Amino acid sequence: MTRRLAEVARKVGVSEATVSRVLNGKPGVSDSTRQAVLTALDVLGYERPTQLRGVRARLVGLVLPELQNPIFPALAEMVGGALVQLGFTPVLCTRSAGGLTEAEYVTMLLDQQVSGVVFCGGLSLEEHGHLLERGVPVVLLNAAVDWAGFPQVSTDDGVAVEQAFNHLYALGHRRIGLLVGPADHIPSQRKSEAFAVLARRHRTDPADLVGHALFSFEGGQATAGDLIRAGATALICGSDILALGAVRAARRAGLEVPRDFSVIGFDDSAFMNYTDPPLTTLRQPIDAMARAAVQLLVNQIEGNAPTPKELLHEPELVVRGSTGVCRRPGVQEA
């Protein structure tokens, strides 16, 4: 007990006597200090006293599918920063091979009496039902699955594909391909649907020029190779990682980017301006999206009804060195 008092006191910057008063429900402590002590208990992994367990901590879970893709650390930084500004403490939960599952993370967060949870990407059917039943405030950021009942903040995939397609079409490309994530991934489905509409409008034939891959460099390289062999002169990719794999596939096929083959990524992840060539990509407005997600979450925490509609944010096409005029005779026109 003495050790716990000392650790919490150091964490908050108050005396052990103050911590003791909070734990025993004694008066003489300000609300802000009382809340800081309770939050420190949660962060340090100590169990709250029985009489205080019904009080939600000012902790917010931030569940990410991975950290290898640079967009997820960037989202975590933005969401975490917005939460801290409002007096909440973000708890980062990253799924990884051999680590905790999403269900285990959710159980841990509920045990810690979190104020809410932001999911970036995934959310399983089981946990969707569990969280709805418990009434925990939740916001989905670029949801991989279309679950009803929770507010959502997303990039407008239809607008993104239209910006990329129009850019490539203006450069003379007619055999434009699309390389996205798994077929059951909602943002990838939306990109595919938008791409099909644009292909029909411009009378190009995308039937053999749409590929699905895991979101990895290797997945992008393998599927891009298939699309190149099918005659694509340019690719719109569902992530910067996939796009970098496509650049490698083009080079393996003896093509030079952008002279012989053009590539557009998605995210505008860190360092995409420093790749060879610098990557043309669709920039997600992650700062605005993060702030919108946090505000939707705080609204629920404060007792307001969740916003039923999905908030769509328009991306920005950032033109760099990986796209150029189509110069491949025989495949320029469909």
Side-chain angles (χ1 to χ4, degrees):
M1 180 66 173
T2 302
R3 178 183 174 185
R4 179 176 67 166
L5 289 175
E7 285 192 50
V8 174
R10 272 197 308 274
K11 184 77 173 176
V12 181
V14 297
S15 68
E16 293 182 27
T18 298
V19 174
S20 179
R21 281 197 292 273
V22 172
L23 298 184
N24 291 291
K26 302 294 184 182
V29 181
S30 68
D31 290 340
S32 59
T33 299
R34 189 179 302 277
Q35 188 58 60
V37 169
L38 293 176
T39 300
L41 278 175
D42 298 327
V43 171
L44 293 170
Y46 289 122
E47 190 172 328
R48 292 187 179 204
T50 304
Q51 70 273 18
L52 298 176
R53 289 179 193 170
V55 181
R56 283 196 187 277
R58 290 184 67 82
L59 300 176
V60 170
L62 178 54
V63 183
L64 304 170
E66 58 165 316
L67 289 177
Q68 291 184 339
N69 187 331
I71 192 63
F72 291 117
L75 281 169
E77 180 180 3
M78 292 296 181
V79 173
L83 286 168
V84 168
Q85 287 179 359
L86 295 174
F88 292 91
T89 302
V91 180
L92 184 62
C93 304
T94 307
R95 300 193 301 275
S96 60
L100 293 181
T101 65
E102 182 181 83
E104 289 170 331
Y105 272 129
V106 169
T107 298
M108 178 195 74
L109 292 170
L110 292 176
D111 287 344
Q112 291 293 327
Q113 294 287 317
V114 292
S115 296
V117 187
V118 177
F119 287 90
C120 295
L123 173 59
S124 69
L125 176 61
E126 178 185 358
E127 297 315 312
H128 169 260
H130 191 194
L131 289 164
L132 271 179
E133 181 183 333
R134 293 284 293 268
V136 178
V138 170
V139 173
L140 307 182
L141 192 53
N142 280 340
V145 182
D146 191 13
W147 296 128
F150 293 137
Q152 298 188 36
V153 177
S154 306
T155 300
D156 193 325
D157 293 295
V159 169
V161 171
E162 185 173 15
Q163 289 179 356
F165 191 101
N166 289 344
H167 174 61
L168 293 171
Y169 196 89
L171 291 172
H173 294 276
R174 300 297 181 265
R175 297 287 290 173
I176 300 170
L178 180 72
L179 171 55
V180 289
D184 61 351
H185 179 246
I186 289 295
S188 297
Q189 290 179 8
R190 292 176 174 179
K191 290 182 178 72
S192 297
E193 290 165 2
F195 182 74
V197 170
L198 288 163
R200 287 194 298 270
R201 183 186 304 165
H202 292 281
R203 297 181 179 179
T204 62
D205 180 11
D208 57 345
L209 295 181
V210 176
H212 295 275
L214 295 176
F215 284 107
S216 66
F217 180 89
E218 293 78 13
Q221 180 178 334
T223 304
D226 294 337
L227 296 172
I228 290 169
R229 286 186 286 274
T233 65
L235 279 185
I236 302 167
C237 300
S239 77
D240 290 337
I241 298 297
L242 290 176
L244 294 179
V247 171
R248 170 69 66 82
R251 287 173 174 161
R252 290 283 175 88
L255 304 176
E256 184 177 327
V257 178
R259 187 190 67 187
D260 306 311
F261 190 75
S262 290
V263 178
I264 296 181
F266 187 90
D267 288 335
D268 196 24
S269 310
F271 308 119
M272 291 304 105
N273 195 36
Y274 305 102
T275 57
D276 181 23
L279 188 67
T280 295
T281 187
L282 291 145
R283 176 181 295 158
Q284 292 198 68
I286 58 174
D287 188 13
M289 292 172 65
R291 292 187 180 281
V294 169
Q295 191 57 59
L296 287 173
L297 190 73
V298 171
N299 288 346
Q300 293 178 76
I301 292 171
E302 293 177 347
N304 300 316
T307 303
K309 293 183 179 179
E310 180 180 17
L311 301 183
L312 294 176
H313 290 251
E314 188 168 317
E316 175 190 357
L317 177 66
V318 181
V319 179
R320 297 192 181 110
S322 65
T323 51
V325 174
C326 183
R327 303 181 187 278
R328 293 171 63 193
V331 295
Q332 183 171 345
E333 299 295 334

